[in-house]
Amino acid sequence: FQWEKIKQGLAILENFQQEFFAWGILQNYRNNNGEAPLVKKYKRNEYKRIADTLGVERFQGIPLFLPTDTVTGERYGRDGALVKLFKDNVGSFRKITTTDSKELWLVPQKYVKPIHDTVQFKHAIFVDRNNENIVTLEKVDKKWIVRSMNPATTGLHKPPYQQETPLGLFVLQEKKVKMFFLVDGTTETGGFAPYANRFTNGGYIHGIPVNAPSTTFIEYSPSLGTIPRSHMCVRNATSHAKFVYDWAPTEETIIFVIE
């Protein structure tokens, strides 16, 4: 477990909460808020999807515009990213900064969900792609307490269907007791993943997948803690996924994906 990186992440979380800002979440799951327009520079990636020069895809992406150009976007933001909101909007755009940069961006309002200004982020989850593990922490009084340490399995970069879990800082957005998935390349239901906690695009923290037609929960897999195998998601022992499901509040929990 990379405790120094975890400490650094918690310090970032502490520092930006000391500032008085309104917070928001960038959202465009399954392009529900509209397909993002093309940005200035883009390419086709290995998945044959359009992405910006940093590798962030247009599908489920959020267009980020420079204040000097509200016609063509500069790059894409990721669904689930936490952003700082400013009060002085520019027409139909929200003025934001991301948590890892002080650069100002303009985002069409439909892609930003404001969070209630009384929210305090006291729940944090660190997913380590390099060591294939997961740590949960909770702030009690002035201290961060480790709640769990477990092996995990992150996403595998293997076009055209499997995709790595993206690095970054995200907000827990929604929960599903059962997240049903499709057989690769088809519209056929392949089974479900239990106690699924979505944080970006189709990326969930969930339990061991159950392949159809079986409906019995599976507690553990020997692949946990070894190598990437998932489709962007973070696979856990099912009892630990249930712990995260019950313990971590939606829109009040921060997920760090580190390497």
Side-chain angles (χ1 to χ4, degrees), residues 134 151-153 205-208 219 224 234-238 240-241 244:
I134 183 169
T153 300
I205 297 171
H206 62 64
I208 303 302
E219 167 58 11
L224 293 176
V234 181
R235 192 178 303 176
N236 291 232
T238 296
H240 187 256
V244 173

Side-chain angles (χ1 to χ4, degrees), residues 36-45 49-58 62-66 69 71-77 105:
L38 290 172
V39 292
K40 292 176 184 176
K41 296 181 180 180
Y42 58 88
K43 59 184 178 181
R44 289 277 179 182
N45 61 19
R49 295 193 288 263
I50 291 173
D52 65 18
T53 55
L54 298 177
V56 182
E57 294 184 351
R58 180 189 193 189
I62 292 88
L64 304 182
F65 294 81
L66 292 172
D69 184 359
V71 176
T72 306
E74 187 72 15
R75 48 164 292 209
Y76 297 117
W105 298 102

Side-chain angles (χ1 to χ4, degrees), residues 56-252:
V56 182
E57 294 184 351
R58 180 189 193 189
F59 176 60
Q60 304 187 104
I62 292 88
L64 304 182
F65 294 81
L66 292 172
T68 55
D69 184 359
T70 57
V71 176
T72 306
E74 187 72 15
R75 48 164 292 209
Y76 297 117
R78 292 192 187 277
D79 173 77
L82 179 70
V83 295
K84 302 174 184 178
L85 304 180
F86 291 82
K87 293 182 180 180
D88 50 335
N89 296 337
V90 180
S92 61
F93 291 84
R94 292 299 305 254
K95 185 188 292 187
I96 71 162
T97 60
T98 60
T99 54
D100 60 356
S101 170
K102 293 184 178 180
E103 190 165 13
L104 289 175
W105 298 102
L106 299 181
V107 181
Q109 292 191 37
K110 65 180 180 178
Y111 296 107
V112 182
K113 180 178 182 179
I115 302 176
H116 198 280
D117 58 10
T118 60
V119 166
Q120 289 290 312
F121 299 109
K122 296 183 179 181
H123 295 71
I125 300 171
F126 285 80
V127 174
D128 187 338
R129 296 196 322 188
N130 186 54
N131 294 292
E132 295 296 307
N133 61 42
I134 183 169
V135 179
T136 66
L137 303 103
E138 183 174 353
K139 189 175 182 181
V140 179
D141 296 325
K142 295 183 178 181
K143 293 184 178 181
W144 284 94
I145 308 298
V146 176
R147 291 302 189 199
S148 65
M149 300 161 56
N150 279 261
T153 300
T154 58
L156 174 65
H157 182 86
K158 186 180 180 182
Y161 302 116
Q162 290 176 274
Q163 197 163 359
E164 66 270 30
T165 308
L167 298 171
L169 186 157
F170 306 96
V171 182
L172 177 58
Q173 298 188 71
E174 67 169 327
K175 301 181 182 187
K176 299 177 181 178
V177 175
K178 292 182 179 180
M179 184 272 289
F180 291 91
F181 57 83
L182 303 178
V183 176
D184 287 344
T186 74
T187 57
E188 177 186 350
T189 299
F192 68 89
Y195 304 113
N197 307 269
R198 190 176 70 82
F199 59 97
T200 183
N201 293 3
Y204 293 78
I205 297 171
H206 62 64
I208 303 302
V210 176
N211 293 322
S214 178
T215 59
T216 303
F217 283 17
I218 302 168
E219 167 58 11
Y220 194 77
S221 166
S223 66
L224 293 176
T226 58
I227 58 174
R229 292 173 61 91
S230 300
H231 292 61
M232 189 185 288
C233 292
V234 181
R235 192 178 303 176
N236 291 232
T238 296
S239 59
H240 187 256
K242 184 179 187 304
F243 161 73
V244 173
Y245 186 93
D246 293 336
W247 165 81
T250 304
E251 297 185 358
E252 297 180 23

